[in-house]
């Protein structure tokens, strides 16, 4: 009975450390940069490059969800925000003044100027140390 009780804290500590390692994979800067790039390609096409500031990845929201034991891939999620007014400005000839007016009107009418997207993705660490990232539907 004493052996079982002394092993329990070790098992608990090991599982906590394993969970921390998985969550660190989800929020690595290179992984998040790839997730942002894949999201942009999925939403706007592979050949249309969005100017900076339109797609904002909320790095602190990167969350580890689970792992696939067969592929050793971590399943994660993150919130990606699209600035709708900056998107309009990038795709239509509008001045900063017109965008500011549109933002003011949106606030008064209760319309959204940002759209949050929950993006699910998997991260599989390869033998080379690189990560293979896949966006999930």
């Amino acid at each position: 009975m004493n052996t079982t009780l002394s092993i329990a804290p070790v098992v608990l500590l090991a599982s906590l450390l394993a969970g921390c390692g998985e969550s660190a994979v989800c929020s690595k800067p290179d992984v998040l940069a790839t997730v942002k790039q894949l999201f942009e390609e999925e939403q706007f096409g592979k050949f249309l490059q969005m100017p900076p500031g339109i797609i904002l990845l909320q790095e602190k929201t990167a969350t580890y969800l689970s792992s696939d034991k067969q592929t050793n891939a971590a399943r994660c999620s993150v919130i990606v925000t699209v600035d709708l007014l900056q998107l309009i400005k990038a795709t239509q000839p509008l001045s900063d003044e017109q965008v500011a007016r549109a933002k003011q009107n949106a606030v008064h009418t209760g319309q959204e100027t940002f759209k949050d997207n929950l993006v699910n993705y998997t991260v599989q660490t390869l033998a080379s140390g690189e990560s293979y990232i896949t966006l999930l539907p």
Side-chain angles (χ1 to χ4, degrees), residues 7 13 21 27 53 65 76 78 117-118 120:
I7 293 175
L13 180 61
S27 59
L65 301 173
C76 311
V78 69
N117 301 276
L118 180 64
N120 293 310

Side-chain angles (χ1 to χ4, degrees), residues 62-77:
T63 306
Y64 167 77
L65 301 173
S66 64
S67 350
D68 183 349
K69 303 220 186 284
Q70 292 179 337
T71 62
N72 201 25
R75 186 169 180 189
C76 311
S77 68

Side-chain angles (χ1 to χ4, degrees), residues 102-111 113:
K103 185 173 185 172
Q104 213 172 26
N105 289 339
V107 169
H108 288 304
T109 59
Q111 295 176 336
T113 58

Side-chain angles (χ1 to χ4, degrees), residues 35-43 80 82 117 119 135:
V35 169
K36 181 179 176 186
Q37 175 189 351
L38 292 172
F39 175 81
E40 185 175 325
E41 289 174 3
E42 183 180 82
Q43 296 297 312
V80 179
V82 178
N117 301 276
V119 177
L135 292 189

